[in-house]
């Protein structure tokens, strides 16, 4: 018998790894100095932050002074989009963004529109891949920035960032990628990707919550959005969150060290899960790409004739934690913007559930979850008027 609860919601957040916890712990009570202070307590704090910055910079292949710590992925996304758009407004006020970005990007884009910027949306295909030919037709001389996430948090699509960046650069535009879901899972070498800015977050990679970073290539003009003290080379005010930075860097180091091993292992969990669900549950659609160019952690399904929420509650009762749509849009009755952009009919978009696996999950948990999903879906469909109307005698 498997032990419950089972956590299949790693795209929402991950548990802090022990290595990061241990490394952070003295920085709360003993080495507590303000990194801005000019005495020995401050110097100790600065040393820890410098080491963390060097370590992350090495992993993403940038200079330490191109890396800025933020309060998380959301702030890094906001900063990249708002900061670049505003700082380059004299060159143009047009920005291109993918329609399947995180809310941190899409809501910021809407706000920029109110400030007189023009936003164009790329087209994506039914698996979520950006249409490069379409991008070439919407990019313009006044486009200052192109934004596309490296990997999608809802359906797991890994985007062709290198190709998108090339189109941006050929046009003289800057390229930003949100690598929050990709960091520690895929290779996130900023030179290889060809990006000018890249955002990351601690808590999606077994690090602490409330910490993230933005890579800004030297020479790129970005306005500050958090103004205040001299921290982060005068670009981002606010007392440095030393323990979180130390934990973030340690979690990133571990994730990078074990990247290939974890990739293969988590893929094997995902593939078993996807194969069994598709084979054993009728009227189900896998959202996003089948296997190639899909995040190892992600399996997202639409179950016809039932609401995602009702499946989520049934699984919760059975001790399995999943997400319906994206965690950010749940609680609203709007279907997921990602699934709508992929062209799913509204009915299917409403019945979607995201399973996201992690390095601590097991094949036994996968098998148990498939059995629970099968039973839950069967029960819910038996009660569904939509399903009865379909007239499938096997279930009514
Ligand atoms: C979680 C997430 C964010 C937000 O990061 P926080 O650190 O939680 O603010 C941004 N983009 C993507 C793709 C995410 O998955």
């Amino acid at each position: 018998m498997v032990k419950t609860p089972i956590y299949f919601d790693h795209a929402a957040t991950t548990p802090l790894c022990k290595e990061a916890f241990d490394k952070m712990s003295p920085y709360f009570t003993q080495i507590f100095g303000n990194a801005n202070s000019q005495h020995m307590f401050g110097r100790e704090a600065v040393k820890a932050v410098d080491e963390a910055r060097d370590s992350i910079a090495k992993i993403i292949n940038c200079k330490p002074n191109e890396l800025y710590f933020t309060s998380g992925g959301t702030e890094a996304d906001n900063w990249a989009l708002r900061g670049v758009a505003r700082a380059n407004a004299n060159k143009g006020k047009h920005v291109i963004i993918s329609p399947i970005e995180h809310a941190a990007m899409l809501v910021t884009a809407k706000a920029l529109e109110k400030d007189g910027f023009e936003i164009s949306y790329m087209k994506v295909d039914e698996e979520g891949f950006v249409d490069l030919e379409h991008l070439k037709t919407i990019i313009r001389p006044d486009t200052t920035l192109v934004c596309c996430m490296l990997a999608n948090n809802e359906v797991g699509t890994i985007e062709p960032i290198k190709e998108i960046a090339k189109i941006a650069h050929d046009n003289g535009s800057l390229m930003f990628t949100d690598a929050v879901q990709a960091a520690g899972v895929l290779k996130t070498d900023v030179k290889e990707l060809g990006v000018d800015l890249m955002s990351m977050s601690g808590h999606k990679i077994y690090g602490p919550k409330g910490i993230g970073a933005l890579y800004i290539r030297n020479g790129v003009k970005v306005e500050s959005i958090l103004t205040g003290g001299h921290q982060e080379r005068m670009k981002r005010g606010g007392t440095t969150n030393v323990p979180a930075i130390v934990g973030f860097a340690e979690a990133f180091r571990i994730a990078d060290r074990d990247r290939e091993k974890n990739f293969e292992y988590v893929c094997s969990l995902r593939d078993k899960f996807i194969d069994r669900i598709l084979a054993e549950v009728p009227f189900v659609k896998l959202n996003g790409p089948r296997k190639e160019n899909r995040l190892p952690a992600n399996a997202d399904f639409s179950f016809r004739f039932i609401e995602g929420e009702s499946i989520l509650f049934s699984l919760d009762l059975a001790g399995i934690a999943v997400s319906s749509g994206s965690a950010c849009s749940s609680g609203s009755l709007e279907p997921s913007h990602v699934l709508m952009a992929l062209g799913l009919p509204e009915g299917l978009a409403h019945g979607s559930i995201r399973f996201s696996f992690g390095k601590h999950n097991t094949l036994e948990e996968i098998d148990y979850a498939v059995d629970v999903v099968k039973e839950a879906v069967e029960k819910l469909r038996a009660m569904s008027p939509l399903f009865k109307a379909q007239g499938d005698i096997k279930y009514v």
Side-chain angles (χ1 to χ4, degrees), residues 72-74 77 102 149 153 178 180-181 201 203-204:
T74 299
D77 283 355
H102 190 270
M149 64 206 328
N153 49 305
D178 172 338
V180 171
Q181 290 287 335
S201 172
H203 74 103
K204 305 280 174 81

Side-chain angles (χ1 to χ4, degrees), residues 7-58:
Y7 189 74
F8 282 167
D9 203 11
H10 292 81
T13 197
T14 54
L16 186 68
C17 66
K18 180 156 187 329
E19 293 90 339
F21 182 75
D22 290 345
K23 190 133 193 203
M24 289 168 78
S25 134
Y27 291 92
F28 288 104
T29 50
Q30 292 154 264
I31 316 171
F32 60 85
N34 186 324
N36 244 18
S37 300
Q38 301 188 321
H39 42 62
M40 57 282 226
F41 291 85
R43 279 194 298 276
E44 272 194 300
V46 168
K47 185 166 168 280
V49 172
D50 284 348
E51 279 172 17
R53 202 187 304 277
D54 288 351
S55 166
I56 297 178
K58 204 168 272 167

Side-chain angles (χ1 to χ4, degrees), residues 306 310 376-388 395:
I306 35 184
S310 15
V377 166
E378 213 166 302
K379 266 193 193 144
L380 290 167
R381 279 184 182 155
M383 296 186 294
S384 156
L386 280 173
F387 190 70
K388 287 193 182 119
Y395 289 94

Side-chain angles (χ1 to χ4, degrees), residues 172-184:
S173 317
L174 293 166
M175 176 74 205
F176 164 70
T177 195
D178 172 338
V180 171
Q181 290 287 335

Side-chain angles (χ1 to χ4, degrees), residues 165-188:
K166 179 160 190 321
I167 295 169
H169 291 154
D170 285 349
N171 187 66
S173 317
L174 293 166
M175 176 74 205
F176 164 70
T177 195
D178 172 338
V180 171
Q181 290 287 335
V185 178
L186 309 173
K187 213 163 158 210
T188 43

